[in-house]
Amino acid sequence: WLEYEIIHGDFFDGTIKNAIVLYSYMINYIMEKIWKKIANECRPWTLFFSSSFPLKVKEPKSVITLPDNGRIFIYEVEKKDKL
């Protein structure tokens, strides 16, 4: 079995350095701040799923279109993303 932990709380107060998958449903104006934290704290290959709101600073690795025409943008942390 895969061990996992779901954490609910203020994203900016905690550490995310051990995360391998992150999911966010945030408003557009805060997405760049979220990505900066992810890119600086997470290891390469960490996946970031963003519901509805794409990043402006990075192209998604993949985009899933949902039955209601909503979209989930999938990003992968790379070494070059460190800010």
Side-chain angles (χ1 to χ4, degrees):
W1 288 93
L2 178 65
E3 290 187 32
Y4 64 91
E5 179 181 6
I6 297 174
I7 300 170
H8 183 264
D10 189 324
F11 181 81
F12 297 103
D13 284 344
T15 181
I16 57 171
K17 68 180 182 178
N18 293 321
I20 54 172
V21 175
L22 295 159
Y23 175 82
S24 173
Y25 183 70
M26 296 291 216
I27 194 85
N28 218 11
Y29 71 86
I30 200 161
M31 293 303 293
E32 306 316 311
K33 186 176 179 183
I34 288 172
W35 179 248
K36 184 176 182 180
K37 180 172 175 79
I38 292 169
N40 285 318
E41 289 187 26
C42 292
R43 296 170 286 193
W45 308 291
T46 298
L47 294 177
F48 172 52
F49 291 74
S50 175
S51 180
S52 302
F53 301 105
L55 295 171
K56 294 179 182 173
V57 296
K58 184 170 177 74
E59 289 293 318
K61 185 174 185 82
S62 184
V63 178
I64 299 170
T65 301
L66 304 172
D68 66 355
N69 289 325
R71 294 183 295 170
I72 296 177
F73 300 89
I74 304 171
Y75 300 91
E76 182 179 338
V77 176
E78 301 175 76
K79 286 182 183 180
K80 68 179 181 177
D81 291 324
K82 300 292 180 194
L83 304 172

